[in-house]
Amino acid sequence: MTHTGTMQGADVGDCSANQSADICLRSRSCSSERDGQVRAVKAALQSRLGPYEPVLTYLQSVLVWEKPFHCVLLYIVINVVFWFFALTSLRLIFLSASGMVVLVCLDTWRNKIWPEIRGAKFCLNVYLYI
């Protein structure tokens, strides 16, 4: 049995059928559908990952050894965290709850407490000059 690249009873323009790669790639309707899907996925990724682009670019530069010191530091931190979890007797739920408490405290400090302190120091400076 030889493969001829076509199927009997299959529509030639249908790219979802099991056709040869040559027919599917050369078909304009399939490539335009594929281009539309690629554009939609690209737009979705850019909208979701756009704010994190600097972080992702930094991580990429670290992973390809553009910044060797940062890469070695990241390697050491990941190993310390791994061995901490591997050798600790604390439960994962306790560690995750403690981490969440730290995140809530940092968020409260950054968004509630720090703006008031910064504003209070500014007001003190204004009162001192008057």
Side-chain angles (χ1 to χ4, degrees), residues 68-121:
F69 177 73
H70 295 250
C71 188
V72 170
L73 188 66
L74 181 67
Y75 176 77
I76 291 171
V77 167
I78 288 174
N79 274 301
V80 166
V81 169
F82 171 78
W83 287 111
F84 174 74
F85 283 120
L87 299 176
T88 188
S89 63
L90 300 175
R91 300 284 181 199
L92 184 61
I93 293 176
F94 171 75
L95 293 173
S96 61
S98 300
M100 293 297 248
V101 167
V102 169
L103 288 175
V104 167
C105 290
L106 286 172
D107 184 55
T108 304
W109 174 266
R110 193 175 347 151
N111 295 328
K112 304 272 189 209
I113 298 171
W114 182 248
E116 291 180 14
I117 293 172
R118 186 176 29 180
K121 287 184 179 180

Side-chain angles (χ1 to χ4, degrees), residues 38-51:
V38 168
R39 285 190 195 105
V41 169
K42 181 180 177 181
L45 283 174
Q46 284 180 342
S47 67
R48 290 185 184 180
L49 297 177

Side-chain angles (χ1 to χ4, degrees), residues 11-19 24-25 27 29-31 33-34:
D11 187 15
V12 175
D14 186 18
C15 193
S16 63
N18 293 330
Q19 296 177 349
C24 186
L25 289 177
S27 173
S29 64
C30 290
S31 65
E33 290 174 9
R34 177 175 224 119

